[in-house]
mmCIF file of all heavy atoms in Angstrom:
data_model
loop_
_atom_site.group_PDB
_atom_site.id
_atom_site.type_symbol
_atom_site.label_atom_id
_atom_site.label_comp_id
_atom_site.label_asym_id
_atom_site.label_seq_id
_atom_site.Cartn_x
_atom_site.Cartn_y
_atom_site.Cartn_z
ATOM 1 N N LEU A 127 9.121 3.632 18.979
ATOM 2 C CA LEU A 127 10.059 2.804 18.261
ATOM 3 C C LEU A 127 10.557 1.655 19.087
ATOM 4 O O LEU A 127 10.815 0.545 18.555
ATOM 5 C CB LEU A 127 11.281 3.720 17.844
ATOM 6 C CG LEU A 127 10.977 4.747 16.793
ATOM 7 C CD1 LEU A 127 12.151 5.696 16.573
ATOM 8 C CD2 LEU A 127 10.491 4.177 15.485
ATOM 9 N N LYS A 128 10.694 1.889 20.350
ATOM 10 C CA LYS A 128 11.031 0.785 21.291
ATOM 11 C C LYS A 128 9.969 -0.292 21.262
ATOM 12 O O LYS A 128 10.285 -1.492 21.194
ATOM 13 C CB LYS A 128 11.200 1.331 22.689
ATOM 14 C CG LYS A 128 11.380 0.363 23.840
ATOM 15 C CD LYS A 128 12.665 -0.338 23.799
ATOM 16 C CE LYS A 128 12.889 -1.186 25.043
ATOM 17 N NZ LYS A 128 14.145 -2.020 24.969
ATOM 18 N N ALA A 129 8.708 0.090 21.322
ATOM 19 C CA ALA A 129 7.585 -0.810 21.283
ATOM 20 C C ALA A 129 7.632 -1.623 19.959
ATOM 21 O O ALA A 129 7.396 -2.827 19.936
ATOM 22 C CB ALA A 129 6.253 -0.124 21.407
ATOM 23 N N MET A 130 7.908 -0.970 18.862
ATOM 24 C CA MET A 130 7.941 -1.649 17.551
ATOM 25 C C MET A 130 9.026 -2.694 17.520
ATOM 26 O O MET A 130 8.834 -3.762 16.973
ATOM 27 C CB MET A 130 8.132 -0.639 16.395
ATOM 28 C CG MET A 130 6.951 0.148 16.087
ATOM 29 S SD MET A 130 5.553 -0.873 15.409
ATOM 30 C CE MET A 130 6.212 -1.326 13.849
ATOM 31 N N ARG A 131 10.189 -2.416 18.119
ATOM 32 C CA ARG A 131 11.267 -3.367 18.119
ATOM 33 C C ARG A 131 10.936 -4.560 18.919
ATOM 34 O O ARG A 131 11.222 -5.718 18.599
ATOM 35 C CB ARG A 131 12.561 -2.681 18.642
ATOM 36 C CG ARG A 131 13.140 -1.693 17.726
ATOM 37 C CD ARG A 131 14.155 -0.775 18.484
ATOM 38 N NE ARG A 131 15.302 -1.522 18.924
ATOM 39 C CZ ARG A 131 16.427 -1.813 18.214
ATOM 40 N NH1 ARG A 131 16.441 -1.377 16.954
ATOM 41 N NH2 ARG A 131 17.399 -2.418 18.728
ATOM 42 N N GLU A 132 10.171 -4.407 20.011
ATOM 43 C CA GLU A 132 9.766 -5.500 20.885
ATOM 44 C C GLU A 132 8.654 -6.306 20.179
ATOM 45 O O GLU A 132 8.571 -7.507 20.322
ATOM 46 C CB GLU A 132 9.315 -4.974 22.211
ATOM 47 C CG GLU A 132 10.446 -4.437 23.069
ATOM 48 C CD GLU A 132 9.996 -3.643 24.258
ATOM 49 O OE1 GLU A 132 8.814 -3.238 24.252
ATOM 50 O OE2 GLU A 132 10.814 -3.346 25.152
ATOM 51 N N LEU A 133 7.735 -5.621 19.434
ATOM 52 C CA LEU A 133 6.727 -6.310 18.681
ATOM 53 C C LEU A 133 7.314 -7.140 17.492
ATOM 54 O O LEU A 133 6.813 -8.190 17.196
ATOM 55 C CB LEU A 133 5.662 -5.326 18.177
ATOM 56 C CG LEU A 133 4.778 -4.653 19.170
ATOM 57 C CD1 LEU A 133 3.899 -3.592 18.506
ATOM 58 C CD2 LEU A 133 3.939 -5.680 19.852
ATOM 59 N N GLN A 134 8.431 -6.622 16.998
ATOM 60 C CA GLN A 134 9.080 -7.345 15.902
ATOM 61 C C GLN A 134 9.713 -8.652 16.387
ATOM 62 O O GLN A 134 9.780 -9.603 15.650
ATOM 63 C CB GLN A 134 10.214 -6.473 15.261
ATOM 64 C CG GLN A 134 10.957 -7.070 14.126
ATOM 65 C CD GLN A 134 10.126 -7.208 12.879
ATOM 66 O OE1 GLN A 134 8.941 -7.275 12.904
ATOM 67 N NE2 GLN A 134 10.782 -7.231 11.740
ATOM 68 N N GLU A 135 10.076 -8.672 17.669
ATOM 69 C CA GLU A 135 10.644 -9.918 18.217
ATOM 70 C C GLU A 135 9.661 -11.120 18.253
ATOM 71 O O GLU A 135 10.072 -12.225 18.176
ATOM 72 C CB GLU A 135 11.104 -9.609 19.682
ATOM 73 C CG GLU A 135 12.282 -8.679 19.761
ATOM 74 C CD GLU A 135 12.593 -8.371 21.242
ATOM 75 O OE1 GLU A 135 11.931 -8.848 22.155
ATOM 76 O OE2 GLU A 135 13.514 -7.518 21.521
ATOM 77 N N ILE A 136 8.367 -10.741 18.328
ATOM 78 C CA ILE A 136 7.352 -11.821 18.371
ATOM 79 C C ILE A 136 6.589 -11.916 17.030
ATOM 80 O O ILE A 136 5.586 -12.551 16.920
ATOM 81 C CB ILE A 136 6.350 -11.559 19.513
ATOM 82 C CG1 ILE A 136 5.680 -10.237 19.425
ATOM 83 C CG2 ILE A 136 7.035 -11.762 20.844
ATOM 84 C CD1 ILE A 136 4.601 -9.984 20.441
ATOM 85 N N ASN A 137 7.089 -11.211 16.037
ATOM 86 C CA ASN A 137 6.502 -11.213 14.703
ATOM 87 C C ASN A 137 6.984 -12.421 13.883
ATOM 88 O O ASN A 137 8.183 -12.490 13.591
ATOM 89 C CB ASN A 137 6.834 -9.914 13.968
ATOM 90 C CG ASN A 137 6.146 -9.821 12.597
ATOM 91 O OD1 ASN A 137 5.263 -10.633 12.297
ATOM 92 N ND2 ASN A 137 6.567 -8.814 11.840
ATOM 93 N N PRO A 138 6.175 -13.302 13.475
ATOM 94 C CA PRO A 138 6.618 -14.491 12.790
ATOM 95 C C PRO A 138 7.118 -14.224 11.367
ATOM 96 O O PRO A 138 7.902 -14.928 10.872
ATOM 97 C CB PRO A 138 5.375 -15.374 12.763
ATOM 98 C CG PRO A 138 4.202 -14.496 12.901
ATOM 99 C CD PRO A 138 4.729 -13.369 13.808
ATOM 100 N N GLN A 139 6.629 -13.204 10.724
ATOM 101 C CA GLN A 139 7.080 -12.790 9.369
ATOM 102 C C GLN A 139 7.731 -11.412 9.477
ATOM 103 O O GLN A 139 7.007 -10.453 9.583
ATOM 104 C CB GLN A 139 5.872 -12.814 8.443
ATOM 105 C CG GLN A 139 5.229 -14.145 8.231
ATOM 106 C CD GLN A 139 4.037 -14.070 7.301
ATOM 107 O OE1 GLN A 139 2.955 -13.765 7.711
ATOM 108 N NE2 GLN A 139 4.333 -14.354 5.984
ATOM 109 N N LYS A 140 9.056 -11.348 9.398
ATOM 110 C CA LYS A 140 9.794 -10.134 9.789
ATOM 111 C C LYS A 140 9.635 -9.002 8.744
ATOM 112 O O LYS A 140 9.880 -7.870 9.108
ATOM 113 C CB LYS A 140 11.257 -10.480 9.879
ATOM 114 C CG LYS A 140 11.610 -11.434 10.974
ATOM 115 C CD LYS A 140 11.074 -11.053 12.345
ATOM 116 C CE LYS A 140 11.440 -12.015 13.395
ATOM 117 N NZ LYS A 140 10.845 -11.700 14.737
ATOM 118 N N ASP A 141 9.133 -9.334 7.519
ATOM 119 C CA ASP A 141 8.941 -8.235 6.556
ATOM 120 C C ASP A 141 7.435 -7.838 6.471
ATOM 121 O O ASP A 141 7.119 -6.928 5.654
ATOM 122 C CB ASP A 141 9.442 -8.676 5.174
ATOM 123 C CG ASP A 141 8.680 -9.852 4.585
ATOM 124 O OD1 ASP A 141 8.029 -10.550 5.418
ATOM 125 O OD2 ASP A 141 8.712 -10.037 3.330
ATOM 126 N N THR A 142 6.604 -8.429 7.261
ATOM 127 C CA THR A 142 5.173 -8.204 7.187
ATOM 128 C C THR A 142 4.646 -7.714 8.503
ATOM 129 O O THR A 142 5.001 -8.276 9.552
ATOM 130 C CB THR A 142 4.392 -9.484 6.762
ATOM 131 O OG1 THR A 142 4.998 -9.953 5.520
ATOM 132 C CG2 THR A 142 2.923 -9.231 6.611
ATOM 133 N N ALA A 143 3.783 -6.713 8.436
ATOM 134 C CA ALA A 143 3.231 -6.120 9.698
ATOM 135 C C ALA A 143 2.359 -7.134 10.368
ATOM 136 O O ALA A 143 1.520 -7.761 9.768
ATOM 137 C CB ALA A 143 2.443 -4.834 9.393
ATOM 138 N N SER A 144 2.548 -7.353 11.646
ATOM 139 C CA SER A 144 1.741 -8.335 12.455
ATOM 140 C C SER A 144 0.470 -7.616 12.920
ATOM 141 O O SER A 144 0.382 -6.402 12.847
ATOM 142 C CB SER A 144 2.524 -8.867 13.651
ATOM 143 O OG SER A 144 2.848 -7.789 14.521
ATOM 144 N N ASN A 145 -0.495 -8.354 13.403
ATOM 145 C CA ASN A 145 -1.736 -7.786 13.942
ATOM 146 C C ASN A 145 -1.468 -6.756 15.070
ATOM 147 O O ASN A 145 -2.045 -5.687 15.088
ATOM 148 C CB ASN A 145 -2.687 -8.822 14.375
ATOM 149 C CG ASN A 145 -3.354 -9.527 13.207
ATOM 150 O OD1 ASN A 145 -3.279 -9.123 12.048
ATOM 151 N ND2 ASN A 145 -4.068 -10.613 13.481
ATOM 152 N N PRO A 146 -0.618 -7.132 16.098
ATOM 153 C CA PRO A 146 -0.333 -6.151 17.124
ATOM 154 C C PRO A 146 0.295 -4.898 16.609
ATOM 155 O O PRO A 146 0.000 -3.781 17.116
ATOM 156 C CB PRO A 146 0.588 -6.944 18.104
ATOM 157 C CG PRO A 146 0.327 -8.388 17.847
ATOM 158 C CD PRO A 146 0.004 -8.433 16.361
ATOM 159 N N MET A 147 1.268 -5.037 15.660
ATOM 160 C CA MET A 147 1.871 -3.833 15.048
ATOM 161 C C MET A 147 0.853 -2.914 14.418
ATOM 162 O O MET A 147 0.889 -1.700 14.553
ATOM 163 C CB MET A 147 2.910 -4.254 14.023
ATOM 164 C CG MET A 147 4.200 -4.824 14.565
ATOM 165 S SD MET A 147 5.307 -5.277 13.152
ATOM 166 C CE MET A 147 6.748 -5.627 14.102
ATOM 167 N N ILE A 148 -0.111 -3.489 13.676
ATOM 168 C CA ILE A 148 -1.184 -2.652 13.045
ATOM 169 C C ILE A 148 -2.006 -2.020 14.026
ATOM 170 O O ILE A 148 -2.290 -0.811 13.937
ATOM 171 C CB ILE A 148 -1.979 -3.566 12.005
ATOM 172 C CG1 ILE A 148 -1.063 -4.044 10.873
ATOM 173 C CG2 ILE A 148 -3.106 -2.739 11.507
ATOM 174 C CD1 ILE A 148 -1.714 -5.009 9.956
ATOM 175 N N MET A 149 -2.485 -2.705 15.029
ATOM 176 C CA MET A 149 -3.299 -2.104 16.047
ATOM 177 C C MET A 149 -2.510 -1.002 16.799
ATOM 178 O O MET A 149 -3.077 0.106 16.988
ATOM 179 C CB MET A 149 -3.741 -3.169 17.051
ATOM 180 C CG MET A 149 -4.563 -2.604 18.246
ATOM 181 S SD MET A 149 -6.124 -1.874 17.786
ATOM 182 C CE MET A 149 -7.147 -3.370 17.703
#
Side-chain angles (χ1 to χ4, degrees):
L127 294 174
K128 171 72 170 173
M130 283 297 289
R131 288 164 66 85
E132 290 167 345
L133 290 174
Q134 181 71 334
E135 293 175 1
I136 56 175
N137 183 11
Q139 296 178 277
K140 299 304 182 184
D141 64 339
T142 303
S144 64
N145 284 351
M147 284 180 172
I148 294 174
M149 176 65 84

